[in-house]
Amino acid sequence: MSADLITAPVRAMLVLGTRPEAIKLAPVARAMALSPLFEPLVVTTGQHREMLQQMLGLLRVPVHTQLDVMRDRQQLSTLTARLVDGLGEVVRAERPDLVVVQGDTTTALTGALAAFYEHIPIAHVEAGLRTGVLDNPFPEELNRRLIGRMARWHFAPTQRAADHLTAEGVPGAEVFTTGNTVIDNLLWVLEEGTGRSLFRTRLRRVLVTLHRRENQGTVMRAMGRALRRLADRGDVEMVLPLHKSPAVREALLPELAGHPHIEIAEPLGYLDFSATLAACDLVLTDSGGIQEEAPTLGKPALVLRTTTERPEAVEAGAARLVGTEPESILEAAVHLLDDPAAYARMATAGNPFGDGRATDRIIAQLAEDFGADAEDGDTAELVTTRPEGPGSYSTA
């Protein structure tokens, strides 16, 4: 195959729209900005616009292009169409050498689609996560499977995730087990030391995050009642950074507002959230990313979901999948608060998701595949077309 060879850096478009995507792509963007081999172009879709504005500057991630696609309570079909259209225009205007997406959001799916339609190769960070249930979590499970059919580089956070991909027919030469970049960014932020914890007392400190679409409505209202009963113990200080979603607020505020032991806050910037996580004793969450971060800090995590695409934390003993039933949630939390031995087992289980060097492995692999020498920083003869094959494109 013939290939164009250039001496300019590889132009890498990093597409992000949500807070978790920003957190997990920030170390990749910073590393590319520091390397002579790459020119990062960060594109934000505005899927979590206010949350992104809080944090991207603090994470030292400059934005190249910013879209504005969000509308109040818009349907997924509408959001998806607007994102594919907007991102398609950006990809055609910029003609990057590759597009990098992260995880399983609508932004990630549409970023991959926009690149695929323009024959631009795709790198998928945090590839291979699966629950095995197509609509749980919804729509993330479908999103990640579809991205897996389009990507050229599959950067899997764990061996289990890598095995999912190869079992689905992804060539082994395109799957790379790297660890999760969320650990890289968490360690970077804690070294910065500029965050502020929201906890104010010496009571047992419980951090709660709830937002998942499948938990909204009557399920989340019942979960709120369980949280209130936990706070009624009197020895608990609970902090709940409240998601911006109107559906989340409508479910939780009537149950939790006004309780003297529950601090309801607006969504925290990443530095403050990391400091709050580091200061807590126990995490109750339906988030995916926190399941990865909490074990690094020795914080037991109770996962308020019926499925998880991150079973490694559960198997390691650092997290427990407790479901969404109020009695199960309350029983699991009380058990950890009242049983020091059970608490210690979870707190010392360790983190199966990485050692803080995932970004190094991602950058090294991309540099190698584009024909650059990552060790000596030589930018000559960077290959900007891919060999033909599954998940690969050639425009030569």
Side-chain angles (χ1 to χ4, degrees):
M1 182 205 76
S2 64
D4 296 329
L5 300 179
I6 63 174
T7 58
V10 175
R11 301 180 79 241
M13 179 177 290
L14 294 88
V15 179
L16 57 93
T18 67
R19 185 175 185 270
E21 287 170 309
I23 290 168
K24 294 180 178 183
L25 285 181
V28 179
R30 287 194 300 266
M32 284 183 170
L34 292 172
S35 169
L37 304 177
F38 294 94
E39 178 189 351
L41 308 172
V42 175
V43 177
T44 67
T45 65
Q47 196 175 340
H48 285 177
R49 182 174 55 189
E50 293 182 16
M51 295 181 182
L52 288 180
Q53 290 173 345
Q54 289 178 345
M55 64 187 301
L56 284 175
L58 293 173
L59 293 177
R60 300 178 192 167
V61 177
V63 175
H64 180 271
T65 302
Q66 182 170 317
L67 303 180
D68 181 13
V69 300
M70 291 306 296
R71 302 293 182 267
D72 188 40
R73 297 178 186 267
Q74 70 181 329
Q75 297 296 314
L76 275 174
S77 55
T78 305
L79 173 61
T80 301
R82 290 172 63 86
L83 283 171
V84 172
D85 186 48
L87 288 169
E89 289 186 6
V90 176
V91 170
R92 286 189 293 274
E94 297 293 343
R95 299 306 303 177
D97 298 313
L98 78 154
V99 168
V100 183
V101 299
Q102 188 281 325
D104 51 25
T105 68
T106 303
T107 286
L109 172 62
T110 55
L113 277 170
F116 180 82
Y117 291 156
E118 300 301 324
H119 300 282
I120 306 296
I122 301 154
H124 187 198
V125 175
E126 197 181 78
L129 275 64
R130 301 288 187 270
T131 65
V133 182
L134 191 61
D135 62 352
N136 192 342
F138 177 87
E140 289 85 356
E141 177 74 5
L142 175 63
N143 290 349
R144 60 174 71 104
R145 294 196 202 184
L146 292 174
I147 297 168
R149 304 309 302 168
M150 294 182 278
R152 160 60 181 86
W153 295 272
H154 304 258
F155 294 118
T158 65
Q159 187 59 51
R160 178 192 295 267
D163 291 344
H164 287 155
L165 291 161
T166 54
E168 292 171 3
V170 177
E174 298 182 359
V175 179
F176 311 95
T177 304
T178 61
N180 200 304
T181 56
V182 73
I183 307 304
D184 305 23
N185 209 44
L186 178 63
L187 296 176
W188 180 85
V189 164
L190 293 177
E191 287 179 3
E192 293 288 298
T194 55
R196 181 178 64 88
S197 169
L198 261 64
F199 289 107
R200 296 289 177 265
T201 75
R202 296 181 180 273
L203 300 176
R204 307 300 298 278
R205 298 173 169 186
V206 178
L207 175 61
V208 179
T209 72
L210 290 171
H211 75 283
R212 298 212 75 86
R213 192 182 299 266
E214 63 269 21
N215 282 345
Q216 293 171 11
T218 57
V219 171
M220 192 168 288
R221 285 193 290 273
M223 294 164 77
R225 290 192 290 273
L227 295 173
R228 189 176 187 92
R229 289 173 60 191
L230 182 62
D232 284 341
R233 283 170 51 108
D235 65 342
V236 166
E237 179 188 7
M238 187 177 296
V239 167
L240 171 63
L242 195 59
H243 198 277
K244 287 288 188 181
S245 165
V248 172
R249 294 181 174 229
E250 289 167 6
L252 293 178
L253 282 174
E255 305 296 338
L256 302 177
H259 195 289
H261 289 282
I262 301 176
E263 173 72 19
I264 298 177
E266 289 301 308
L268 299 177
Y270 183 56
L271 301 185
D272 287 345
F273 183 84
S274 297
T276 303
L277 177 62
C280 81
D281 297 305
L282 176 63
V283 180
L284 278 66
T285 186
D286 64 3
S287 166
I290 297 175
Q291 296 175 54
E292 299 156 348
E293 294 171 308
T296 290
L297 303 177
K299 310 299 178 180
L302 298 180
V303 182
L304 310 188
R305 294 168 56 178
T306 58
T307 63
T308 180
E309 63 278 28
R310 296 167 174 86
E312 294 91 340
V314 176
E315 293 170 357
R320 180 180 170 192
L321 189 67
V322 300
T324 60
E325 293 296 325
E327 291 302 324
S328 298
I329 294 169
L330 189 62
E331 178 184 353
V334 167
H335 176 62
L336 284 177
L337 291 173
D338 292 347
D339 187 332
Y343 182 93
R345 284 194 295 272
M346 290 189 71
T348 58
N351 193 338
F353 294 111
D355 57 3
R357 297 190 58 212
T359 299
D360 295 342
R361 298 181 182 104
I362 290 169
I363 296 296
Q365 188 61 53
L366 290 174
E368 178 182 332
D369 281 4
F370 275 98
D373 186 338
E375 292 185 0
D376 64 17
D378 180 11
T379 61
E381 297 190 341
L382 296 178
V383 180
T384 57
T385 56
R386 298 301 312 160
E388 295 180 0
S392 305
Y393 319 110
S394 172
T395 57

